[in-house]
Amino acid sequence: MKTLFDKIWDKHVVKSITEGVDVVFIDQHFIHEVTSPQAFNGLREKGQKVFRPERTLATADHNVPTINQHLPIKDKASFHQVESLTNNCKEFGVELFGIGHKNQGIVHVIGPDLGKTQPGMTIVCGDSHTSTHGAFGAIAFGIGTSQVEQVLASQCLVLNRPKSMKIEVNGTLNKGVTAKDVVLYIISKLGTEGGTGFFVEYVGNVFSEMSMEERMTVCNMSIEMGARGGMVGIDEVTINYVQSRVHLSEDKIEGWKALNTDDGAEFDKSVRFNATDIYPMITVGTAPDTGITISKTVDDAAFITEKAKKYMGFNGEDKINQQEIDFVFIGSCTNGRIEDLRAAAEIIKGHKKAEKVEAWVVPGSMKVREEAIEEGLDKIFIDAGFEFREPGCSACLAMNDDKIPSGAICVSTSNRNFEGRQGEGARTLLSSPITAAASALTGRVTDPTKYLN
Amino acid sequence: MKLSSKVIPLNIENIDTDQLIPAQFLKLTTKKGYGKNLFYNWRYFHDYEPNPQFELNNPLREGAQVIIGGNNFGCGSSREHAAWAIADYGIKAVITSQFADIHKGNLYNNNVLPIEIKPDELSVLMNYFLENSSAIIDVDLENQTVKVEESGFNVKFEIAPFKKKCLLEGVDEIQYLINMKEEIAEFELNNY
Ligand code: SF4
């Protein structure tokens, strides 16, 4: 009896070096401009080619501006980094979806959306949120640049087999509770290191009833509990999603189904939560494990620290739903997909944002942006006073111009609220797209439930 | 690898990679030049004016090659720039009770030794170095020990045999994989 993880891993072991250390073949490799230049330099120095260029796909996402993408990037260093990616891809024969390309977007949004991410695969990228792709029943995880170079040179990595962890959530979700709230809740219970050394499988009706977009949101944040990655079993939802993007043979589909975790397979660790205990969540500290229910106070966050309270300027007794806000950011590889934009638009429709709040919607990819425009979502956002921008990582890590000013409070649908993550001195509160949307309307942290029919 | 050095103790848990090297410094396309910006937000006020409260700026710790950090060191992003910044600053070993997985791998790949010791051992070590700014630590990879002569502290640490071998013999994972290319091609032939 084996787990999904073990079945996929075992199929990809080229060679075992020592007990627990394997050379593992990588099916799909994604790269972006920030973590790949030094890897290409390494290849050049060693006189190496890319071993299997067709298994690597590149995009520019972290540095790209989200307004006027047709103009050259103003920031010199950003311009240079994006240009290096273009040159490297050309020189080494790697396919690139650069700025302006119809398939450009955040690497973890485009891979799945183009049908590149498939069940049963091993998938890596020099980016910790590669865990997103685990939603397809794949082993997907982030790597460092030295490893990017290894994959480019050999299509393999030397890896320790992680331990296995089962996270089970069953029951009916409360109104207003999204995939983001579920994962923020789990992290608020386990802590940012609760998953360190483990690879997670999410099981239970809550996950099997989720769409692929929702599963991606959950798996995306696996890294925020320290896990190497997270995955969801392969079912009709998975197969329908992939099939609507690429042609699949019956054999392939049957093969995938057989990969699922066997009944009675053992995990090194198991935890279980009740869906009914989860309400819309918001983080109050400087680590993703500081989520609380929106009706609660700062000190209700189990992992809140004095240092974090000081940085955030919060007192323990502060009720978070009284907190005034300055910015709202809807986007990122966690919540920048079409479903996220639809959900936010649904809340906003017919309303205006609070005057003092600056609100940005940044689609995760060109394709998401086009779809949103086709559905008229852009108008809903713009009519409500939001900015509807061009795709990229944007204020998730503020490597481009999309920075939150020092001291400002931003309700953000991204995945990290670390000190300075959204700009020096910026204060980030992580939430779902509908909580972010509702908060933009009122100008303070707001439970979205009352905006739902 | 044997090391006798001063120490920078950072009694902070969950030191994330955004603190090790903030995003605005990720735009270089080389591996050098990051050390100056290690811990940028904690280390400096504006315009690189040193914050005297931060241990990296303590003159008594100058030349330290070892960082002792709180639990869950290096959590967050996969950016190897964090490891490049640590290595570029001149750090040869980082000691904590648990590293975030990706960062630990990145340290290894840049010849910085990540050492994990038990939480109670860590707090003894941390407190000692917080109080003794110019004290010396001895790290011995071969024997897998961390010692402080003056205090009698002496513990063993675990390390994966393959990683130890790589560090001691200078085996490069990438060279190892490049040498395996024929075997990898054969694997592909049989499996795809
Ligand atoms: S959106 Fe944020 S978390 Fe996702 S890849 Fe971009 S920077 Fe990383």
Side-chain angles (χ1 to χ4, degrees), chain B residues 58-77:
Chain B
N58 180 345
L60 293 174
R61 309 219 185 254
E62 220 176 291
Q65 298 180 323
V66 176
I67 287 178
I68 303 178
N71 190 45
N72 198 25
F73 188 96
C75 61
S77 111

Side-chain angles (χ1 to χ4, degrees), chain A residues 62 106-108 127 129 332-333 393 396-397 415 421:
Chain A
H62 284 61
I106 304 171
V107 62
H108 313 306
D127 195 288
H129 293 98
S332 87
C333 60
C393 293
C396 173
L397 93 165
N415 42 52
R421 171 82 177 179

Side-chain angles (χ1 to χ4, degrees), chain A residues 189-421:
Chain A
K189 297 292 174 195
L190 299 180
T192 51
E193 37 122 11
T196 304
F198 291 93
F199 210 99
V200 172
E201 183 173 344
Y202 298 97
V203 302
N205 73 295
V206 163
F207 303 108
S208 57
E209 288 164 16
M210 283 183 181
S211 67
M212 287 315 294
E213 279 87 350
E214 293 173 304
R215 292 178 192 180
M216 282 188 256
T217 300
V218 172
C219 290
N220 174 277
M221 295 209 49
S222 305
I223 184 74
E224 307 312 335
M225 59 184 100
R228 207 71 182 81
M231 63 208 310
V232 175
I234 303 153
D235 60 12
E236 291 305 316
V237 180
T238 328
I239 290 161
N240 290 341
Y241 184 99
V242 182
Q243 210 160 27
S244 68
R245 284 155 174 84
V246 284
H247 172 75
L248 300 173
S249 67
E250 274 310 309
D251 277 4
K252 204 164 198 182
I253 294 174
E254 285 316 305
W256 287 346
K257 286 183 179 161
L259 289 174
N260 279 326
T261 296
D262 299 322
D263 287 339
E266 298 225 351
F267 288 81
D268 295 311
K269 187 175 173 183
S270 294
V271 290
R272 186 188 289 223
F273 302 104
N274 287 324
T276 45
D277 294 339
I278 310 174
Y279 293 93
M281 300 284 290
I282 189 110
T283 64
V284 294
T286 54
D289 59 2
T290 54
I292 56 171
T293 297
I294 293 174
S295 58
K296 294 281 175 67
T297 57
V298 171
D299 272 346
D300 286 320
F303 294 104
I304 192 76
T305 60
E306 288 307 315
K307 188 172 188 299
K309 278 191 264 185
K310 192 166 163 229
Y311 180 85
M312 296 301 287
F314 291 165
N315 283 315
E317 327 65 71
D318 288 350
K319 286 190 74 127
I320 201 66
N321 61 10
Q322 301 299 316
Q323 179 61 48
E324 301 283 321
I325 65 165
D326 308 297
F327 278 79
V328 163
F329 170 62
I330 298 176
S332 87
C333 60
T334 315
N335 283 125
R337 296 185 180 76
I338 188 68
E339 276 194 1
D340 301 311
L341 269 49
R342 281 186 198 133
E346 195 60 37
I347 299 274
I348 288 161
K349 202 172 181 169
H351 298 283
K352 286 256 182 277
K353 71 165 180 68
E355 206 155 311
K356 57 162 188 155
V357 173
E358 198 163 323
W360 301 337
V361 178
V362 181
S365 69
M366 288 291 265
K367 197 160 160 246
V368 169
R369 183 178 148 87
E370 304 256 289
E371 277 180 84
I373 291 173
E374 242 163 64
E375 295 175 22
L377 305 183
D378 59 328
K379 287 213 180 57
I380 296 175
F381 289 121
I382 292 164
D383 287 348
F386 284 58
E387 280 183 43
F388 183 75
R389 295 190 166 206
E390 291 166 317
C393 293
S394 181
C396 173
L397 93 165
M399 249 185 108
N400 64 357
D401 288 340
D402 306 350
K403 293 180 174 44
I404 307 301
S406 186
I409 294 247
C410 179
V411 175
S412 175
T413 67
S414 52
N415 42 52
R416 286 191 178 135
N417 49 357
F418 297 151
E419 286 184 25
R421 171 82 177 179

